[in-house]
Amino acid sequence: MIYKNITFQADSFVYNLIFEDRITLVGGDSGSGKTVLYEILEDLKLTDEYHAIKLFNYRSENFPENLKKCRNNFIVIDNADILLNDEIRRFINFEFSNQYMLFSRNCDGLNVSDKSFKILKVEGNRITLEEEL
């Protein structure tokens, strides 16, 4: 695993994201903070500690080709339900040097465990990843 946890403060919120699997699917309703987290990670990846973060979303140019170049990275894909096809799912399943956080509700075709499913939980000013019930 690239990161067992990612911890940082943004504005008045403290993020403590703990990962238990190589592939983490972050679900949740619209407006639950996933895209805000993605945008914060855009700045966080510029730090020495979190330089392994690579971000992809629907605006990413040449998404499949650029993803396939990634090795030893923590890959975050926003709107993964829209972006993932069978070829990308195979890459995610078999490129073991990477770790993945996918903002997705759909696990079809991905090798995931019961520890892969998370939601963003906001409690006071603390934001964590919790097991999806």
Side-chain angles (χ1 to χ4, degrees):
M1 299 240 304
I2 307 298
Y3 298 116
K4 290 291 274 171
N5 70 26
I6 295 177
T7 303
F8 62 93
Q9 186 166 349
D11 294 322
S12 62
F13 291 97
V14 174
Y15 288 78
N16 186 20
L17 311 176
I18 297 173
F19 302 97
E20 300 177 89
D21 205 348
R22 189 179 68 83
I23 301 172
T24 301
L25 279 80
V26 181
D29 296 332
S30 251
S32 62
K34 297 181 300 289
T35 299
V36 171
L37 173 58
Y38 180 92
E39 291 170 357
I40 292 169
L41 291 174
E42 287 180 325
D43 291 332
L44 196 65
K45 73 178 187 164
L46 301 174
T47 66
D48 288 339
E49 185 176 4
Y50 295 115
H51 71 277
I53 294 174
K54 299 289 183 202
L55 301 164
F56 296 96
N57 66 16
Y58 64 91
R59 292 177 284 174
S60 299
E61 291 188 30
N62 302 317
F63 165 65
E65 296 82 11
N66 288 329
L67 177 68
K68 289 178 183 178
K69 294 176 185 174
C70 292
R71 297 294 183 277
N72 300 306
N73 292 117
F74 182 85
I75 297 170
V76 181
I77 304 175
D78 193 16
N79 300 112
D81 289 330
I82 297 167
L83 294 175
L84 299 185
N85 60 28
D86 289 343
E87 178 184 2
I88 298 301
R89 285 182 180 90
R90 268 191 303 279
F91 177 80
I92 290 170
N93 285 334
F94 297 110
E95 182 46 61
F96 295 106
S97 74
N98 294 322
Q99 182 179 352
Y100 303 88
M101 181 167 65
L102 310 174
F103 296 141
S104 176
R105 293 181 188 96
N106 184 355
C107 66
D108 292 347
L110 294 171
N111 295 333
V112 295
S113 74
D114 59 342
K115 295 186 181 294
S116 297
F117 299 93
K118 304 289 183 177
I119 56 170
L120 278 179
K121 181 177 180 185
V122 180
E123 193 171 292
N125 69 337
R126 185 174 162 83
I127 299 173
T128 57
L129 287 175
E130 300 293 328
E131 287 187 27
E132 191 171 31
L133 300 176

